[in-house]
Amino acid sequence: MKIAFIGLGNMGAPMAANLAKAGHEVTGFDVAGAAAEGVGTAVSAPEAATGAEVVITMLPNGQILRSVAAEVIPAMPPGAVLLDCSTVDVDSARAVAAQAAEAGLGALDAPVSGGVGGASGGTLTFMVGGSEEAFAKAKPLFDIMGQKAVHCGPSGNGQAAKICNNMILGVTMIATCEAFALADKLGLSREAMFDVVSTSSGYSWSMNAYCPAPGVGPQSPADNGYKPGFAAELMLKDLGLSQQAAETADADTPMGERALELYRAFVEDEGGTGRDFSAMLPRFEGRGRG
Ligand code: NAD
């Protein structure tokens, strides 16, 4: 397949390289001049998109996605698919899909989970919004870049699934970290806390698979000085998107809102930038109620 790949950053470069390695003809473009192994480079996004059957974008935010989409849509041949894998707001995903449809193109929003390791290893999970037809066309590409692609419904539903999942993740990580910090103060060992909770009703992915306490449970960023993993600033971004969506949809999300406030303080005022999102545990550990 002839593929254009716009945005060759931490995630985009290894994803594009995996497509090229699998035998697809991939042409990339990145404003920063980034490149990817086995991927040809174009001088602009429209040049990369010209004649491409699928144009993939992996960009920082919805505003940039909207401007790139406005540039590439006129260059894409009829019937081609615009496949956005970035994490962006639901409104931008739906606006770009409508614009693509008007031009006779397919569109999919397909944000990922799995991080840079998943992008390199081709083990990402895609949460996908858009038509069945566009999904079927992109499926072989999802199979190369990832291990699972879930079709969640019409345009915007991939982003909706991603931000709802990550709102749960942010809230449960905070709950897990504050409970560990309370357990410390009550004289309970972390090992005992893990042994009980991981097999009791307080269990969660945050506790069982990604335990924020070093030396306890399976290997996690806590065992590596809280080097990400999933950086606190990326969690802050996703919690911001979930609150933006909640406002638009008039949904009451008090825990998501509180998680956003805590991650914002952590990242902006408490040195959390560049640390894994589970470093909320040392944050709580050092604090009292005041
Ligand atoms: P990144 O900043 O490393 O990459 C984004 C790239 O887009 C950069 O190389 C930048 O130069 C390029 N870019 C910006 N504007 C452009 C334009 N107008 N035209 C062409 N290229 C442009 O970010 P990343 O970590 O690769 O993340 C990409 C997306 O994936 C984000 O939406 C992020 O939220 C999401 N995501 C990231 C992770 C992760 O662990 N890094 C995990 C899941 C989802």
Side-chain angles (χ1 to χ4, degrees):
M1 216 185 266
K2 196 170 171 334
I3 298 168
F5 207 112
I6 318 295
L8 301 169
N10 292 320
M11 296 290 289
M15 290 164 73
N18 282 337
L19 292 171
K21 203 161 51 175
H24 292 289
E25 186 190 335
V26 189
T27 305
F29 173 73
D30 190 295
V31 271
E37 212 181 317
V39 174
T41 45
V43 298
S44 68
E47 186 191 283
T50 302
E53 295 163 74
V54 176
V55 175
I56 305 178
T57 48
M58 195 53 171
L59 298 163
N61 60 48
Q63 205 186 335
I64 294 174
L65 170 67
R66 285 176 192 247
S67 80
V68 168
E71 277 185 76
V72 297
I73 286 172
M76 291 170 66
V81 172
L82 181 59
L83 167 55
D84 178 47
C85 297
S86 330
T87 305
V88 303
D89 56 288
V90 175
D91 289 346
S92 291
R94 291 188 172 147
V96 163
Q99 213 183 330
E102 259 172 48
L105 304 170
L108 295 170
D109 52 292
V112 302
S113 80
V116 176
S120 306
T123 56
L124 295 168
T125 294
F126 292 87
M127 292 146 263
V128 191
S131 70
E132 283 289 354
E133 194 190 346
F135 182 76
K137 186 155 184 187
K139 183 71 171 57
L141 307 183
F142 292 139
D143 291 341
I144 294 164
M145 297 186 287
Q147 60 187 358
K148 194 173 175 193
V150 182
H151 191 202
C152 302
S155 293
N157 283 22
Q159 299 294 348
K162 162 102 188 176
I163 59 175
C164 289
N165 179 74
N166 282 17
M167 187 171 82
I168 296 171
L169 177 61
V171 169
T172 54
M173 180 55 82
I174 288 172
T176 303
C177 291
E178 68 181 29
F180 261 119
L182 171 61
D184 287 347
K185 292 195 176 182
L186 297 176
L188 185 61
S189 81
R190 288 183 167 182
E191 192 60 56
M193 173 76 177
F194 176 81
D195 287 348
V196 171
V197 176
S198 66
T199 54
S200 301
S201 47
Y203 88 100
S204 68
W205 186 87
S206 296
M207 174 61 85
N208 292 39
Y210 204 91
C211 183
V216 176
Q219 274 285 317
S220 68
D223 300 305
N224 191 23
Y226 295 99
K227 191 167 161 276
F230 185 47
E233 57 270 31
L234 288 176
M235 174 51 83
L236 175 60
K237 171 188 172 177
D238 293 356
L239 288 168
L241 292 174
S242 64
Q243 286 313 295
Q244 193 181 332
E247 263 172 43
T248 310
D250 189 29
D252 188 18
T253 52
M255 303 300 285
E257 192 177 342
R258 187 72 184 115
L260 172 64
E261 284 166 12
L262 285 164
Y263 274 104
R264 184 180 289 136
F266 185 54
V267 166
E268 293 177 2
D269 308 324
E270 297 164 0
T273 304
R275 306 194 80 195
D276 189 75
F277 83 116
S278 63
M280 272 286 166
L281 175 51
R283 175 202 183 267
F284 280 115
E285 206 180 273
R287 298 170 73 92
R289 287 184 80 76

